[in-house]
Amino acid sequence: DLHSFPTRRSSDLNAVQPPPPPSAPLAAATPPPARPVVSAAAPDELYKNALNDYTRGNYDLAVTAFLNYIALYPKTSLIPNARYWLGESFYSMRNYDRAIREFDHLVREHPGNSKVASALLKQGYAYLEIGNKPQARRVLNDLLKQFPKSQEARWAKERLSQVR
């Protein structure tokens, strides 16, 4: 029968939803605005998360996180590393032009950094990937001159011997 819906008494409504106590401000009912996710992380945490994304193969997430890190914390000591891993992320995504630019930025802006030899090596590899053998030779030979005793120099020699 359509008219046999249960009816509620006013005491039932009060039991389900008690009125707010008089001391509770009305504003407490609205949640606080959400904080932007990017600013919630400390610099080292953001960097670590970006590197974790890279090592897990989540290169698009790594790119976003490293770009955020560089934009938010441009003066930290991890900027050269962030630039390097940003270049590696682009390289892994086969975005060789962008990888070349990031490695070049690291080499120019942080010439004394320990990642420079690795950046030059990967930059040379990226030039080979896009078919620019003359520029690849220049970069790899520059690596040999600057870091002759490095492991990267040995890899550069090996790769140069294969480039015709």
Side-chain angles (χ1 to χ4, degrees), residues 12-100:
D12 291 341
L13 292 174
N14 286 339
V16 173
Q17 229 177 11
S23 62
L26 293 176
T30 59
R35 287 184 300 172
V37 175
V38 173
S39 67
D44 54 343
E45 188 180 344
L46 182 58
Y47 177 85
K48 186 180 73 173
N49 290 340
L51 194 55
N52 286 339
D53 286 332
Y54 172 81
T55 56
R56 289 186 188 115
N58 298 326
Y59 305 121
D60 53 341
L61 293 175
V63 163
T64 300
F66 283 124
L67 287 171
N68 284 336
Y69 181 86
I70 291 166
L72 290 168
Y73 308 109
K75 301 291 185 204
T76 65
S77 62
L78 287 175
I79 285 294
N81 288 20
R83 283 267 177 222
Y84 176 78
W85 291 112
L86 181 57
E88 283 283 4
S89 298
F90 281 123
Y91 187 92
S92 297
M93 295 169 73
R94 295 191 159 105
N95 186 341
Y96 300 116
D97 290 326
R98 189 72 192 268
I100 288 166

